[in-house]
Amino acid sequence: MRFLHTSDWHLGRSFHRVSLLGAQGAFLDHLVATAREHDVDAVLVAGDVYDRAVPPLAAVELFDGVLHRLADAGVPTVMISGNHDSARRLGVASGLIERAGIHLRTDPAGCATPVVLGDTHGDVAFYGLPYLEPALVRDEFRAKTAGHEAVLGAAVDRVRADLAERAPGTRSVVLAHAFVAGGEPSDSERDITVGGVAAVPSGLFDGLDYTALGHLHGCQTLNERVRYSGSPLAYSFSEAHHRKTMWLVELGPAGEIAAERLDCPVPRPLARIEGRLEELLADPALARHEDSWVEATVTDPVRPAEPMARLAGRFPHTLSLVFAPERSGQDAVASYAERLRDRDDHQIAEDFVTHVRGGSGPDERERAVLRGAFDDVRVDTSVREVAG
C-alpha cells in the first residue's frame, strides 16, 4: 500500500499580508500530479485543511477543485478536521462525497469507523481522528479528565478495539491532529494548551502500523511509525529553515514502513537577516537573499531613519522589520516586545501578577485559576467559531 501523507494546508492563509492563494493552488496541482506519478493508493490529509472556521470563497474553491481532481484520478482521499477547521462545516455532505472516494472524518464519534482499502496482501484500515477539543469531547469519550492525553487515548482505545475485531493481518493507519511530545513547534501553530499541557506522549500510538500526524508545521519523524508531514508552505519566518515536503509511505505486507520525503514547490525562499542597517545594505554575503521574503532585525543603537524603505531598496520583498538595538552591559532596560518574546499568554499573566504584587508571584491555586481562565476563553472561541 502506497500513500501520500500531507497536512496543514491552511487554505486561505496569507503570509504577512501577502496572499498565498496562488502558491496554495500550485501546491495542490503538485499534489495531484505527484499522486498520479507515484500511482498512490491513497492521499491522507491530517487536518487544518482551512486556516479558519469560515474560510474565504477563494479557499473553498481551491478545496473543491482539488477534490474533483483527486476523484477524477481515482485516488481515495482520507482527511480529518484540525483545530483551525470547523469540523461541522468541513463535514457537510461527507456522506455524498464519500461515494467519489473522498472520505472526510470530522465527527469524533466516528473515529473507530475506518476507511478500508485493500491491496494484494489484504486490508488496510485508515482511522481518522479529527482534532479533539478536550472540553467538547470529554463526555463522548467518557474521559476522566478534560485533557488532550485523556481524550486522544480514549479515541485510540476505540481504534484498537475495532482493529481487534477485524481479520488477522489487517494493517492500521491512523490520522490524528495533535501536539505529540518530541515534536518541534514553530511560531505559526495555534496554541492548544489545556491545563498547562499541550503535548501528548507518542506512546499513545504504540502498536499501530503508521500514524499520520498534523498540527506542527515542520516535517518530523518521532519514530519510524509516527510522523508529521508538516505544512506544504511556510507560514512564519520561524520556518525559514524548514524543507517543505510530503511523505510518500510504503506499507508492507507485515506493516513494514518505508518513507520518502517529496519536496513541495517553494513560491519564494525565506530569509532572516540581522545587523546594523548600513551593514545589511552593504554586505555582499546577503546578495543571495535579495529575491527572498525577508525578516530584517535592525540592531542600530538608535533607530535609523526610514529603515523599511531603505531595506526595500535592496530587498524588495522585505515583509517584517524588527528593531532590537544593541545594548551595553550596563544597559539592562529591555523593550516591552523583548520582555514578551518567547513567553506564552499564561506566563505573561503570571508576570503581571508578580509585577503588581511587587515581586510575589501567584501560588499554585492562583496558577490553576489563570490556566482555567485561558482554557475557558480558548474553548469559548472554538465554540463561537463553529456556531458562526
Side-chain angles (χ1 to χ4, degrees):
M1 181 72 67
R2 181 185 300 122
F3 54 86
L4 283 174
H5 166 196
T6 77
S7 73
D8 295 273
W9 294 355
H10 288 279
L11 300 180
R13 188 163 185 162
S14 60
F15 185 75
H16 289 265
R17 298 179 299 281
V18 174
S19 173
L20 291 178
L21 283 171
Q24 290 173 335
F27 161 69
L28 296 178
D29 292 343
H30 172 73
L31 171 68
V32 175
T34 302
R36 290 179 179 274
E37 177 187 351
H38 291 276
D39 193 24
V40 301
D41 300 295
V43 168
L44 312 185
V45 188
D48 282 353
V49 174
Y50 292 120
D51 190 55
R52 57 181 187 264
V54 184
L57 178 59
V60 177
E61 289 173 340
L62 281 180
F63 180 61
D64 180 65
V66 74
L67 294 191
H68 276 85
R69 285 181 288 162
L70 288 169
D72 289 344
V75 180
T77 301
V78 185
M79 57 178 61
I80 60 173
S81 50
N83 61 300
H84 279 249
D85 299 308
S86 165
R88 292 176 62 186
R89 283 191 176 87
L90 187 62
V92 167
S94 58
L96 183 62
I97 295 172
E98 191 148 6
R99 300 180 188 178
I102 306 296
H103 307 276
L104 295 170
R105 292 295 186 262
T106 62
D107 183 0
C111 66
T113 302
V115 177
V116 180
L117 303 176
D119 62 14
T120 56
H121 304 290
D123 288 343
V124 179
F126 292 83
Y127 296 90
L129 279 54
Y131 171 67
L132 303 174
E133 176 59 60
L136 301 182
V137 302
R138 178 181 179 179
D139 291 342
E140 164 65 33
F141 292 104
R142 299 190 178 94
K144 294 180 179 179
T145 62
H148 288 296
E149 183 174 354
V151 297
L152 188 56
V156 175
D157 285 345
R158 289 189 184 183
V159 167
R160 290 196 178 94
D162 179 83
L163 193 59
E165 298 296 319
R166 297 189 175 273
T170 299
R171 289 157 289 166
S172 56
V173 175
V174 168
L175 291 77
H177 196 87
F179 186 172
V180 178
E184 180 183 346
S186 60
D187 291 344
S188 55
E189 298 109 7
R190 182 183 292 176
D191 181 32
I192 60 171
T193 300
V194 174
V197 179
V200 301
S202 61
L204 286 181
F205 306 104
D206 286 352
L208 303 170
D209 290 313
Y210 186 81
T211 299
L213 293 174
H215 181 57
L216 299 185
H217 289 180
C219 182
Q220 301 170 63
T221 301
L222 303 187
N223 62 57
E224 181 188 32
R225 300 184 181 278
V226 181
R227 301 171 189 260
Y228 281 101
S229 67
S231 60
L233 298 169
Y235 292 117
S236 73
F237 278 103
S238 66
E239 301 168 57
H241 65 287
H242 287 185
R243 173 188 164 203
K244 296 300 185 180
T245 58
M246 302 178 284
W247 285 112
L248 177 65
V249 180
E250 294 265 6
L251 183 61
E256 307 95 329
I257 295 292
E260 177 186 357
R261 291 178 69 180
L262 303 181
D263 289 310
C264 296
V266 178
R268 191 179 298 279
L270 271 58
R272 280 178 149 172
I273 61 176
E274 180 174 352
R276 295 194 177 199
L277 181 59
E278 294 301 332
E279 295 170 353
L280 297 179
L281 296 177
D283 187 350
L286 298 180
R288 67 187 188 277
H289 299 315
E290 290 175 358
D291 196 42
S292 300
W293 278 323
V294 169
E295 178 182 74
T297 299
V298 175
T299 61
D300 297 63
V302 177
R303 189 181 187 94
E306 300 183 326
M308 180 62 95
R310 294 167 67 187
L311 282 165
R314 183 181 186 190
F315 308 101
H317 305 288
T318 301
L319 300 181
S320 175
L321 174 63
V322 180
F323 186 55
E326 300 166 351
R327 299 187 184 279
S328 67
Q330 291 76 33
D331 186 1
V333 178
S335 71
Y336 181 71
E338 287 176 285
R339 295 199 305 273
L340 296 187
R341 188 173 297 151
D342 299 324
R343 301 187 70 74
D344 60 30
D345 290 343
H346 187 265
Q347 291 170 321
I348 293 168
E350 289 194 9
D351 289 347
F352 175 76
V353 173
T354 303
H355 172 72
V356 297
R357 284 181 174 171
S360 175
D363 59 27
E364 279 306 312
R365 182 185 64 81
E366 292 167 329
R367 287 192 180 96
V369 170
L370 286 171
R371 282 196 296 268
F374 281 112
D375 290 348
D376 289 345
V377 169
R378 187 178 49 76
V379 171
D380 179 66
T381 300
S382 298
V383 171
R384 285 190 285 108
E385 283 183 346
V386 172

